[in-house]
Amino acid sequence: THPTEDFRNITQGTRGAVGCLQMRGEYMFVAEGRGGFAVYDIASVANKGFSDRIVSAPFSPLGNNARVRSRNATCMALPTNQPINPERNTAVMRTINQEQPFHPLYNYAVVTDAEEGLILVNVNTFADGELRNNNLSRTVTWNENDVLHGARHVTLAGHYAYITADAGLVVMDLDNPESPRLSTVIPLTDARASAVQFRYLWVSDAEGVKLFDVTDLATPRAVPEGTILLANARKLYLARTYLYIAAKDAGLVIANVTRPAAPRILTRFTANDTLNDAEDVIVATTNASLFAYVADGRNGVKVLQLTSPSSQPNFYGFSPEPRPELI
Protein backbone atom coordinates (compact mmCIF):
# COMPACT_ATOMS: atom_id res chain seq x y z
CA THR A 1 0.00 0.00 0.00
CA HIS A 2 1.29 3.48 -0.89
CA PRO A 3 2.11 5.43 2.29
CA THR A 4 -0.33 8.17 1.32
CA GLU A 5 -3.20 5.71 0.91
CA ASP A 6 -6.18 6.96 2.96
CA PHE A 7 -8.55 4.22 4.12
CA ARG A 8 -10.89 6.70 5.77
CA ASN A 9 -12.69 7.09 2.44
CA ILE A 10 -13.61 3.42 2.14
CA THR A 11 -17.24 3.41 3.18
CA GLN A 12 -20.32 1.30 2.58
CA GLY A 13 -23.80 2.69 2.81
CA THR A 14 -26.33 0.50 4.63
CA ARG A 15 -30.12 0.36 4.61
CA GLY A 16 -30.45 1.15 8.30
CA ALA A 17 -28.54 1.83 11.51
CA VAL A 18 -25.80 -0.73 12.13
CA GLY A 19 -26.17 -2.25 15.60
CA CYS A 20 -23.59 -5.09 15.50
CA LEU A 21 -21.15 -6.45 12.96
CA GLN A 22 -18.65 -9.30 12.90
CA MET A 23 -15.93 -10.23 10.43
CA ARG A 24 -15.31 -13.84 9.46
CA GLY A 25 -12.84 -14.72 6.75
CA GLU A 26 -13.39 -12.43 3.78
CA TYR A 27 -16.93 -11.42 4.77
CA MET A 28 -18.50 -8.89 7.10
CA PHE A 29 -21.80 -9.90 8.71
CA VAL A 30 -23.98 -6.93 9.66
CA ALA A 31 -27.24 -6.23 11.49
CA GLU A 32 -28.46 -3.01 9.93
CA GLY A 33 -31.80 -2.05 11.42
CA ARG A 34 -34.59 -1.72 8.87
CA GLY A 35 -32.23 -3.20 6.29
CA GLY A 36 -32.23 -6.53 8.11
CA PHE A 37 -29.21 -8.85 8.15
CA ALA A 38 -26.63 -8.47 5.38
CA VAL A 39 -23.28 -9.95 4.34
CA TYR A 40 -20.60 -7.94 2.53
CA ASP A 41 -17.48 -9.18 0.72
CA ILE A 42 -14.48 -7.31 2.18
CA ALA A 43 -11.70 -9.41 0.64
CA SER A 44 -10.49 -6.47 -1.47
CA VAL A 45 -10.80 -3.74 1.13
CA ALA A 46 -7.03 -3.10 0.96
CA ASN A 47 -6.71 -3.52 -2.83
CA LYS A 48 -6.19 -0.12 -4.48
CA GLY A 49 -6.86 -1.62 -7.90
CA PHE A 50 -10.36 -2.76 -6.98
CA SER A 51 -13.01 -0.13 -7.65
CA ASP A 52 -15.55 -1.41 -5.10
CA ARG A 53 -13.59 -2.27 -1.96
CA ILE A 54 -16.69 -3.50 -0.07
CA VAL A 55 -18.78 -5.64 -2.40
CA SER A 56 -22.53 -6.02 -2.11
CA ALA A 57 -23.21 -6.71 -5.82
CA PRO A 58 -24.05 -10.17 -7.22
CA PHE A 59 -21.17 -12.56 -7.87
CA SER A 60 -23.02 -14.39 -10.64
CA PRO A 61 -25.01 -13.47 -13.78
CA LEU A 62 -27.85 -15.36 -12.12
CA GLY A 63 -27.67 -13.02 -9.16
CA ASN A 64 -27.55 -13.81 -5.48
CA ASN A 65 -29.10 -12.67 -2.25
CA ALA A 66 -26.74 -11.74 0.59
CA ARG A 67 -29.48 -10.19 2.71
CA VAL A 68 -32.32 -11.38 4.92
CA ARG A 69 -34.94 -8.69 5.33
CA SER A 70 -36.40 -8.06 8.75
CA ARG A 71 -38.26 -5.24 10.49
CA ASN A 72 -35.49 -3.96 12.75
CA ALA A 73 -32.32 -6.07 13.03
CA THR A 74 -30.45 -4.80 16.08
CA CYS A 75 -27.55 -7.22 16.58
CA MET A 76 -26.02 -10.44 15.30
CA ALA A 77 -23.44 -12.96 16.47
CA LEU A 78 -21.54 -15.88 14.97
CA PRO A 79 -20.34 -18.78 17.14
CA THR A 80 -16.78 -18.10 15.92
CA ASN A 81 -14.96 -15.52 13.81
CA GLN A 82 -12.69 -18.21 12.35
CA PRO A 83 -13.28 -18.94 8.62
CA ILE A 84 -14.79 -22.39 9.15
CA ASN A 85 -16.66 -24.68 6.75
CA PRO A 86 -18.79 -27.12 8.79
CA GLU A 87 -19.86 -29.02 5.68
CA ARG A 88 -16.28 -30.32 5.22
CA ASN A 89 -16.43 -31.87 8.68
CA THR A 90 -17.61 -35.24 7.34
CA ALA A 91 -17.42 -38.59 9.11
CA VAL A 92 -14.46 -39.57 6.89
CA MET A 93 -12.54 -36.40 7.71
CA ARG A 94 -13.31 -36.80 11.41
CA THR A 95 -11.79 -40.29 11.26
CA ILE A 96 -8.70 -39.21 9.32
CA ASN A 97 -8.03 -36.00 11.25
CA GLN A 98 -9.50 -37.11 14.59
CA GLU A 99 -11.72 -34.04 14.55
CA GLN A 100 -14.77 -33.57 16.69
CA PRO A 101 -18.04 -32.86 14.88
CA PHE A 102 -19.20 -29.26 14.61
CA HIS A 103 -22.15 -28.33 16.77
CA PRO A 104 -25.13 -27.48 14.48
CA LEU A 105 -25.10 -23.88 15.76
CA TYR A 106 -21.88 -23.26 13.80
CA ASN A 107 -23.96 -23.27 10.62
CA TYR A 108 -25.85 -20.14 11.62
CA ALA A 109 -25.75 -16.43 12.24
CA VAL A 110 -27.89 -15.51 15.25
CA VAL A 111 -29.77 -12.25 14.66
CA THR A 112 -31.87 -10.22 17.09
CA ASP A 113 -34.70 -8.06 15.83
CA ALA A 114 -36.49 -5.56 18.06
CA GLU A 115 -39.86 -6.48 16.55
CA GLU A 116 -39.47 -10.07 15.33
CA GLY A 117 -37.30 -11.51 18.11
CA LEU A 118 -34.73 -14.18 17.23
CA ILE A 119 -33.79 -14.99 13.63
CA LEU A 120 -31.38 -17.75 12.57
CA VAL A 121 -29.76 -17.66 9.14
CA ASN A 122 -27.69 -20.50 7.68
CA VAL A 123 -24.51 -18.82 6.40
CA ASN A 124 -22.59 -21.89 5.20
CA THR A 125 -22.87 -20.66 1.63
CA PHE A 126 -20.25 -18.04 2.56
CA ALA A 127 -17.82 -20.73 3.71
CA ASP A 128 -17.85 -23.19 0.83
CA GLY A 129 -15.66 -21.25 -1.63
CA GLU A 130 -18.42 -21.17 -4.26
CA LEU A 131 -19.43 -17.60 -5.15
CA ARG A 132 -22.41 -18.49 -7.32
CA ASN A 133 -24.66 -19.90 -4.61
CA ASN A 134 -24.64 -17.06 -2.09
CA ASN A 135 -28.34 -16.95 -1.37
CA LEU A 136 -29.57 -16.39 2.16
CA SER A 137 -32.93 -17.11 3.73
CA ARG A 138 -34.35 -17.45 7.20
CA THR A 139 -34.16 -20.82 8.85
CA VAL A 140 -35.93 -19.90 12.07
CA THR A 141 -37.88 -16.96 13.47
CA TRP A 142 -38.76 -17.21 17.17
CA ASN A 143 -40.54 -14.83 19.55
CA GLU A 144 -42.85 -16.92 21.69
CA ASN A 145 -45.23 -14.77 23.76
CA ASP A 146 -43.32 -11.71 22.51
CA VAL A 147 -40.64 -12.34 25.17
CA LEU A 148 -37.99 -10.91 22.85
CA HIS A 149 -39.76 -7.66 22.14
CA GLY A 150 -37.17 -4.90 21.99
CA ALA A 151 -34.30 -7.39 21.58
CA ARG A 152 -31.17 -5.28 21.13
CA HIS A 153 -28.02 -7.35 21.74
CA VAL A 154 -26.90 -10.99 21.69
CA THR A 155 -23.87 -12.81 23.12
CA LEU A 156 -23.22 -16.51 22.45
CA ALA A 157 -21.66 -18.95 24.93
CA GLY A 158 -21.67 -22.61 24.03
CA HIS A 159 -25.10 -23.27 22.54
CA TYR A 160 -26.77 -20.56 24.63
CA ALA A 161 -27.69 -17.06 23.50
CA TYR A 162 -27.86 -14.23 26.05
CA ILE A 163 -30.21 -11.62 24.65
CA THR A 164 -30.98 -8.23 26.17
CA ALA A 165 -34.58 -7.16 25.55
CA ASP A 166 -37.39 -5.16 27.15
CA ALA A 167 -38.07 -8.10 29.49
CA GLY A 168 -34.45 -8.10 30.72
CA LEU A 169 -31.85 -10.80 30.12
CA VAL A 170 -33.39 -13.59 28.04
CA VAL A 171 -31.48 -16.89 27.88
CA MET A 172 -32.13 -19.07 24.84
CA ASP A 173 -31.04 -22.69 24.41
CA LEU A 174 -29.94 -23.25 20.78
CA ASP A 175 -28.72 -26.81 21.18
CA ASN A 176 -31.15 -27.64 18.38
CA PRO A 177 -30.96 -24.41 16.36
CA GLU A 178 -34.08 -25.19 14.37
CA SER A 179 -36.10 -25.49 17.58
CA PRO A 180 -34.98 -22.70 19.95
CA ARG A 181 -36.02 -23.12 23.55
CA LEU A 182 -36.45 -20.47 26.22
CA SER A 183 -34.32 -21.25 29.29
CA THR A 184 -35.01 -18.32 31.59
CA VAL A 185 -35.77 -14.61 31.79
CA ILE A 186 -34.02 -12.42 34.35
CA PRO A 187 -35.81 -9.08 34.80
CA LEU A 188 -33.54 -6.06 34.40
CA THR A 189 -34.30 -2.38 33.90
CA ASP A 190 -33.34 -1.38 30.35
CA ALA A 191 -30.92 -4.28 29.72
CA ARG A 192 -28.51 -3.12 27.03
CA ALA A 193 -25.58 -5.41 26.22
CA SER A 194 -23.55 -8.29 27.62
CA ALA A 195 -20.14 -9.94 27.51
CA VAL A 196 -19.01 -13.35 28.77
CA GLN A 197 -15.65 -14.66 29.95
CA PHE A 198 -15.16 -18.12 31.42
CA ARG A 199 -17.84 -18.63 34.09
CA TYR A 200 -19.04 -15.03 34.34
CA LEU A 201 -21.43 -12.87 32.35
CA TRP A 202 -21.56 -9.08 32.65
CA VAL A 203 -24.72 -7.23 31.59
CA SER A 204 -25.18 -3.46 31.32
CA ASP A 205 -28.49 -1.88 32.28
CA ALA A 206 -29.90 1.38 33.63
CA GLU A 207 -28.13 0.87 36.97
CA GLY A 208 -24.68 0.05 35.63
CA VAL A 209 -23.05 -3.34 34.99
CA LYS A 210 -24.45 -6.47 36.67
CA LEU A 211 -22.50 -9.69 37.22
CA PHE A 212 -23.89 -13.21 36.76
CA ASP A 213 -22.31 -16.59 37.44
CA VAL A 214 -22.94 -18.78 34.37
CA THR A 215 -21.26 -21.95 35.59
CA ASP A 216 -24.64 -23.39 34.59
CA LEU A 217 -25.02 -21.64 31.24
CA ALA A 218 -28.78 -22.16 31.20
CA THR A 219 -29.47 -20.41 34.49
CA PRO A 220 -27.32 -17.35 35.23
CA ARG A 221 -27.04 -16.64 38.95
CA ALA A 222 -26.87 -12.99 40.03
CA VAL A 223 -23.77 -11.92 41.96
CA PRO A 224 -24.90 -8.57 43.46
CA GLU A 225 -21.51 -7.77 45.00
CA GLY A 226 -20.06 -7.68 41.48
CA THR A 227 -22.25 -4.74 40.39
CA ILE A 228 -20.48 -1.69 38.98
CA LEU A 229 -22.69 1.36 39.46
CA LEU A 230 -22.69 3.62 36.41
CA ALA A 231 -25.22 6.14 35.18
CA ASN A 232 -25.13 5.16 31.52
CA ALA A 233 -23.24 1.94 30.77
CA ARG A 234 -23.54 0.75 27.18
CA LYS A 235 -21.58 -1.98 25.37
CA LEU A 236 -18.80 -3.96 27.03
CA TYR A 237 -15.55 -5.65 26.09
CA LEU A 238 -13.50 -8.09 28.20
CA ALA A 239 -9.73 -8.43 27.80
CA ARG A 240 -8.12 -10.74 30.33
CA THR A 241 -8.51 -9.14 33.76
CA TYR A 242 -10.04 -5.85 32.62
CA LEU A 243 -13.58 -4.90 31.65
CA TYR A 244 -13.91 -1.98 29.23
CA ILE A 245 -17.24 -0.16 29.46
CA ALA A 246 -18.53 2.42 26.98
CA ALA A 247 -20.28 4.79 29.37
CA LYS A 248 -21.65 7.67 27.27
CA ASP A 249 -20.71 11.00 28.90
CA ALA A 250 -18.47 9.20 31.44
CA GLY A 251 -16.25 8.14 28.53
CA LEU A 252 -14.42 4.83 28.66
CA VAL A 253 -14.58 3.21 32.09
CA ILE A 254 -11.97 0.51 32.75
CA ALA A 255 -12.59 -1.87 35.65
CA ASN A 256 -10.22 -4.42 37.13
CA VAL A 257 -12.17 -7.70 37.33
CA THR A 258 -9.38 -9.99 38.45
CA ARG A 259 -11.82 -10.81 41.24
CA PRO A 260 -15.16 -10.63 39.41
CA ALA A 261 -17.20 -10.40 42.60
CA ALA A 262 -15.07 -7.48 43.80
CA PRO A 263 -14.57 -5.25 40.74
CA ARG A 264 -12.54 -2.07 41.04
CA ILE A 265 -12.78 0.90 38.68
CA LEU A 266 -9.28 1.66 37.47
CA THR A 267 -10.00 4.78 35.45
CA ARG A 268 -12.73 6.86 33.81
CA PHE A 269 -11.09 8.20 30.67
CA THR A 270 -12.68 11.15 28.85
CA ALA A 271 -9.63 12.63 27.06
CA ASN A 272 -10.20 16.00 28.73
CA ASP A 273 -13.98 15.73 28.20
CA THR A 274 -13.66 15.18 24.43
CA LEU A 275 -14.69 11.52 24.72
CA ASN A 276 -18.20 12.09 26.02
CA ASP A 277 -20.65 9.96 24.01
CA ALA A 278 -19.13 6.46 24.23
CA GLU A 279 -21.43 3.77 22.83
CA ASP A 280 -19.12 0.83 22.10
CA VAL A 281 -15.52 -0.34 22.55
CA ILE A 282 -13.27 -3.11 21.31
CA VAL A 283 -9.68 -3.88 22.30
CA ALA A 284 -6.90 -5.25 20.09
CA THR A 285 -3.14 -5.69 20.21
CA THR A 286 -0.48 -4.47 17.80
CA ASN A 287 3.02 -5.74 18.55
CA ALA A 288 3.88 -4.46 22.04
CA SER A 289 0.94 -2.07 22.23
CA LEU A 290 -2.68 -2.48 23.25
CA PHE A 291 -5.35 -0.27 21.70
CA ALA A 292 -8.99 0.49 22.43
CA TYR A 293 -11.22 1.58 19.56
CA VAL A 294 -14.14 3.56 20.96
CA ALA A 295 -17.34 4.44 19.09
CA ASP A 296 -17.85 7.90 20.57
CA GLY A 297 -21.32 8.63 19.20
CA ARG A 298 -21.58 12.13 17.78
CA ASN A 299 -17.77 12.53 18.00
CA GLY A 300 -16.89 9.63 15.70
CA VAL A 301 -14.28 6.95 16.45
CA LYS A 302 -11.44 7.47 18.91
CA VAL A 303 -8.30 5.34 19.19
CA LEU A 304 -6.75 4.99 22.63
CA GLN A 305 -3.32 3.49 23.19
CA LEU A 306 -3.64 1.46 26.39
CA THR A 307 -0.10 0.16 26.75
CA SER A 308 3.24 0.88 25.09
CA PRO A 309 6.89 0.41 26.03
CA SER A 310 7.04 4.06 27.08
CA SER A 311 3.83 4.24 29.12
CA GLN A 312 3.81 0.78 30.68
CA PRO A 313 7.21 -0.88 31.43
CA ASN A 314 5.39 -4.17 32.14
CA PHE A 315 3.74 -4.28 28.71
CA TYR A 316 4.98 -7.83 28.14
CA GLY A 317 3.16 -9.13 31.23
CA PHE A 318 0.05 -11.32 31.16
CA SER A 319 -2.38 -8.48 31.81
CA PRO A 320 -0.56 -5.15 32.17
CA GLU A 321 -2.50 -2.30 33.72
CA PRO A 322 -3.92 -0.15 30.89
CA ARG A 323 -2.83 3.49 30.83
CA PRO A 324 -4.98 5.11 28.15
CA GLU A 325 -3.73 7.89 25.92
CA LEU A 326 -5.71 9.46 23.07
CA ILE A 327 -4.06 8.91 19.69
Side-chain angles (χ1 to χ4, degrees):
T1 302
H2 193 276
T4 60
E5 179 77 359
D6 189 350
F7 289 97
R8 291 175 297 178
N9 294 324
I10 302 173
T11 61
Q12 173 65 45
T14 59
R15 300 185 186 181
V18 174
C20 295
L21 70 170
Q22 187 172 338
M23 183 174 72
R24 189 172 82 180
E26 63 197 66
Y27 295 101
M28 184 69 79
F29 298 78
V30 184
E32 51 183 66
R34 300 295 178 184
F37 168 72
V39 184
Y40 296 93
D41 186 328
I42 57 171
S44 298
V45 73
N47 184 352
K48 290 196 301 181
F50 209 80
S51 58
D52 191 2
R53 308 279 190 96
I54 301 175
V55 179
S56 58
F59 301 100
S60 160
L62 301 177
N64 68 358
N65 179 24
R67 179 181 301 276
V68 172
R69 297 182 182 275
S70 73
R71 296 176 188 171
N72 188 7
T74 51
C75 195
M76 59 74 50
L78 301 169
T80 178
N81 57 10
Q82 297 297 310
I84 59 170
N85 184 359
E87 292 181 350
R88 293 185 61 185
N89 183 239
T90 62
V92 172
M93 294 303 293
R94 289 198 295 272
T95 300
I96 295 173
N97 296 333
Q98 298 183 16
E99 301 173 7
Q100 294 183 7
F102 273 102
H103 188 278
L105 187 57
Y106 282 86
N107 298 315
Y108 297 94
V110 179
V111 183
T112 56
D113 188 285
E115 299 178 36
E116 299 187 59
L118 177 69
I119 300 170
L120 267 66
V121 180
N122 189 312
V123 292
N124 277 344
T125 179
F126 291 93
D128 62 7
E130 172 55 74
L131 300 178
R132 294 170 296 181
N133 67 352
N134 288 343
N135 290 288
L136 295 179
S137 61
R138 298 182 187 221
T139 302
V140 172
T141 302
W142 188 96
N143 193 13
E144 216 170 82
N145 299 320
D146 206 27
V147 69
L148 288 176
H149 184 269
R152 54 190 68 105
H153 188 267
V154 57
T155 295
L156 299 178
H159 56 77
Y160 289 91
Y162 299 106
I163 301 172
T164 53
D166 290 350
L169 177 65
V170 182
V171 183
M172 297 296 305
D173 184 349
L174 303 179
D175 194 25
N176 180 357
E178 296 188 13
S179 298
R181 187 171 58 86
L182 177 66
S183 289
T184 189
V185 178
I186 299 173
L188 292 172
T189 302
D190 190 14
R192 296 165 181 172
S194 64
V196 67
Q197 183 173 254
F198 304 122
R199 54 181 287 209
Y200 290 101
L201 175 76
W202 285 261
V203 183
S204 59
D205 70 359
E207 298 175 2
V209 179
K210 305 287 181 63
L211 177 65
F212 296 88
D213 185 325
V214 290
T215 303
D216 179 356
L217 292 170
T219 55
R221 179 180 62 82
V223 184
E225 57 269 32
T227 297
I228 301 172
L229 296 175
L230 290 170
N232 212 343
R234 297 290 169 164
K235 290 184 179 176
L236 316 167
Y237 192 87
L238 285 155
R240 294 186 175 174
T241 59
Y242 292 96
L243 173 63
Y244 297 82
I245 308 163
K248 292 294 278 185
D249 57 340
L252 177 66
V253 175
I254 305 175
N256 187 325
V257 291
T258 304
R259 297 171 57 205
R264 178 174 56 86
I265 291 181
L266 178 71
T267 187
R268 302 171 190 255
F269 187 79
T270 63
N272 295 321
D273 294 325
T274 62
L275 197 166
N276 53 31
D277 195 26
E279 291 277 359
D280 200 355
V281 58
I282 192 167
V283 173
T285 58
T286 304
N287 194 14
S289 297
L290 188 70
F291 293 90
Y293 301 87
V294 183
D296 192 24
R298 60 180 177 272
N299 304 312
V301 173
K302 286 189 168 64
V303 180
L304 310 182
Q305 187 161 11
L306 300 173
T307 64
S308 70
S310 60
S311 69
Q312 173 52 280
N314 298 317
F315 66 93
Y316 273 138
F318 166 72
S319 187
E321 180 179 294
R323 297 177 181 173
E325 304 170 272
L326 180 63
I327 303 299

